[in-house]
Amino acid sequence: MSEILIKGGNRLTGKISVQGAKNSVLPVLAATVLCGDRCVIHNCPTLSDVETSVKIIRNLGCGCEKTGNTVTVDSREITSFEIPDDLMREMRSSVVFLGAVIGRMGKAYISSPGGCELGPRPIDLHLSALKHMGVTVTEEHGYLHCTAEQGLHGAEIHLTFPSVGATENIILAAATAKGNTTIHNAAKEPEISDLADFLNSAGARIYGSGSDTIQIYGVEKLHGAEHAIIPDRIAAATYMACAAVTGGKITLENVMPPHMVSILWFFKECGCETEISGKSVTVSAPERLCRVPTVRSLVYPGFPTDAGPIALAVLCLAEGTSVFVENIFENRFRYTDELKRFGAQVKTQGKIAVVEGRPALSAADCACTDLRGGAALVIAALAADGVSTIKEIHHIERGYDDIVGNLRTLGADIQEQ
Ligand code: UD1
């Protein structure tokens, strides 16, 4: 099992280009299945979650090749409507294939997603919306059998919570359903707009993405399309954090600053200087980071839950005491026990973490508990005195394309072994 070794203390400087968004590429790849044609998706990061998506697409009987950062899907032929348990377990977010497969095949069998490292991951909102669109759902031996006997039809849907996954599944199912669908209280994340933009370029008629009311006029058929995935705002936040804790100054290229307002605000509050120029952001760390007023994870445009562990790692080195409130997932603080190995002072109770910033951290042997928690350990290790070892890095590989190479380019003393 490989691990990452980091000798902390190097000041990060220089320039890197930010990968395509993990949370966008997965739904867009799912959407290619719906197109029934040849689709070319650019700016796809090299991640184990993308590999899993490729496997799922092939398992459905479609052609799928990844060359560099481009994935080509040929979904003219599709032979299966099942996502087997092993692939579902590799990636909980494979649930986003549900809407696409039902839309294309009129039915889908998926293994029940169950819980994950972040706590229970219910899909009741997805299923209830699909039922309103003509889908019958039965559960058998851990599998969900979803069938639209009479085909999918449009519906008026109100989400009781603006779930990102549910919004994506509804858009996918509605794109080729009979009639019109309106999603009220829809998720507004930029990744939703990216999915809608791709589908619209493939012939769908989706309006209002990025707002809380999305209208989808069902079309009979989609066609092939070419699309480039938006930049990953969470990966960008991670590299900004690496610069912030090492007293560094880095420039990130290929970012979308308008998607990062709450993240940029956080770094400014910590005392960093941020400079935006078109699609690039430069962040320079202050002499000493400072505490911030309470940060709460919220739906977009609020502070992203995925950036919570990254922010918390930064606050471990800030002067003063800060509070982070996690409002989206129930069990997202497991990584804080690993952060404590670096000498970080973090106390958690329920959804609240209190961080007492320290002037320095010391190297530790630690293990990733989840993707973004793993990123928090990398950030801590870059700042810590001495050589740290980070194990269970398969979590990190789910979401970061060549993090070791990127950090080395910025001057970190880092290696994978
Ligand atoms: C979540 C994040 C998303 C992030 C992604 C990957 C939010 C709102 N969502 O999306 O930004 O990119 O993780 O890490 O920040 N829920 C239900 N029933 C459902 C669906 C969701 O109760 O059917 C609850 C979840 O338990 C959770 C909340 O809604 O508390 C957020 O869920 P959702 O947005 O659906 O999660 P993801 O799509 O995984």
Side-chain angles (χ1 to χ4, degrees):
M1 175 78 54
S2 53
E3 50 193 30
I4 293 177
L5 294 186
I6 298 177
K7 183 164 183 280
N10 286 11
R11 178 173 181 263
L12 298 197
T13 54
K15 205 185 272 184
I16 52 165
S17 174
V18 172
Q19 68 186 59
K22 164 188 172 287
N23 293 332
S24 203
V25 68
L26 306 180
V28 168
L29 287 178
T32 61
V33 166
L34 198 55
C35 295
D37 204 348
R38 194 168 167 276
C39 296
V40 182
I41 313 300
H42 301 289
N43 203 29
C44 296
T46 300
L47 309 172
S48 55
D49 273 10
V50 170
E51 263 171 49
T52 306
S53 298
V54 170
K55 281 191 217 163
I56 292 174
I57 293 170
R58 287 187 183 149
N59 202 74
L60 293 170
C62 303
C64 188
E65 294 302 330
K66 181 167 184 293
T67 314
N69 291 117
T70 299
V71 177
T72 307
V73 180
D74 185 346
S75 62
R76 282 173 292 188
E77 209 181 307
I78 179 164
T79 51
S80 168
F81 41 80
E82 184 180 333
I83 302 174
D85 191 49
D86 53 336
L87 294 176
M88 199 68 201
R89 278 179 201 274
E90 265 181 49
M91 183 177 82
R92 301 278 165 197
S93 39
S94 39
V95 73
V96 76
F97 276 87
L98 182 58
V101 175
I102 300 182
R104 179 74 194 275
M105 304 291 275
K107 54 181 158 184
Y109 290 0
I110 63 161
S111 123
S112 206
C116 73
E117 317 84 53
L118 309 183
R121 213 120 182 204
I123 57 163
D124 53 329
L125 299 174
H126 307 228
L127 297 180
S128 131
L130 291 173
K131 283 179 194 164
H132 283 280
M133 299 176 73
V135 176
T136 310
V137 182
T138 50
E139 196 167 357
E140 245 173 57
H141 308 295
Y143 267 77
L144 293 170
H145 293 218
C146 304
T147 319
E149 294 279 354
Q150 317 288 328
L152 287 162
H153 57 76
E156 193 82 16
I157 291 160
H158 175 85
L159 290 175
T160 49
F161 177 86
S163 154
V164 173
T167 303
E168 289 164 347
N169 261 328
I170 300 164
I171 290 176
L172 287 163
T176 53
K178 232 191 191 107
N180 306 334
T181 299
T182 306
I183 314 174
H184 300 277
N185 199 26
K188 295 185 283 197
E189 271 69 359
E191 293 77 18
I192 300 282
S193 300
D194 202 26
L195 172 64
D197 289 347
F198 166 67
L199 283 167
N200 284 343
S201 67
R205 292 179 61 212
I206 301 163
Y207 302 94
S209 67
S211 80
D212 58 11
T213 308
I214 300 179
Q215 279 189 305
I216 304 124
Y217 299 101
V219 298
E220 206 162 300
K221 215 169 172 300
L222 298 178
H223 50 72
E226 197 163 345
H227 181 78
I229 298 295
I230 56 168
D232 194 314
R233 58 200 169 102
I234 309 299
T238 307
Y239 292 116
M240 288 175 79
C242 295
V245 298
T246 58
K249 177 176 179 174
I250 64 166
T251 298
L252 298 175
E253 295 187 319
N254 186 31
V255 293
M256 280 293 275
H259 296 169
M260 297 176 61
V261 173
S262 63
I263 289 167
L264 291 166
W265 180 251
F266 168 79
F267 284 101
K268 273 189 202 157
E269 291 272 80
C270 290
C272 295
E273 263 179 47
T274 59
E275 199 186 312
I276 297 167
S277 166
K279 287 190 170 182
S280 86
V281 169
T282 300
V283 58
S284 348
E287 198 118 313
R288 174 88 202 265
L289 294 158
C290 53
R291 67 167 293 278
V292 296
T294 303
V295 185
R296 296 177 173 82
S297 65
L298 285 174
V299 298
Y300 189 81
F303 193 83
T305 175
D306 283 352
I310 291 149
L312 208 130
V314 172
L315 296 174
C316 288
L317 284 142
E319 190 160 20
T321 303
S322 308
V323 175
F324 185 88
V325 185
E326 170 53 45
N327 287 311
I328 309 294
F329 290 110
E330 274 174 34
N331 192 14
R332 202 155 194 173
F333 287 137
R334 279 175 54 209
Y335 68 95
T336 59
D337 282 336
E338 299 294 313
L339 272 183
K340 288 181 199 161
R341 292 171 179 247
F342 291 87
Q345 298 286 309
V346 188
K347 287 200 177 88
T348 61
Q349 187 168 29
K351 56 184 193 171
I352 297 174
V354 179
V355 189
E356 208 184 296
R358 313 270 300 173
L361 297 177
S362 49
D365 283 350
C366 59
C368 306
T369 54
D370 62 273
L371 165 59
R372 306 300 172 186
L377 302 181
V378 170
I379 296 162
L382 287 169
D385 235 6
V387 179
S388 299
T389 307
I390 304 174
K391 299 191 176 71
E392 304 289 345
I393 62 167
H394 58 95
H395 288 291
I396 294 178
E397 288 163 351
R398 283 189 44 228
Y400 291 94
D401 187 343
D402 194 21
I403 193 170
V404 170
N406 280 325
L407 290 172
R408 200 178 290 135
T409 301
L410 296 172
D413 188 342
I414 180 169
Q415 52 179 302
E416 192 174 338
Q417 63 170 33

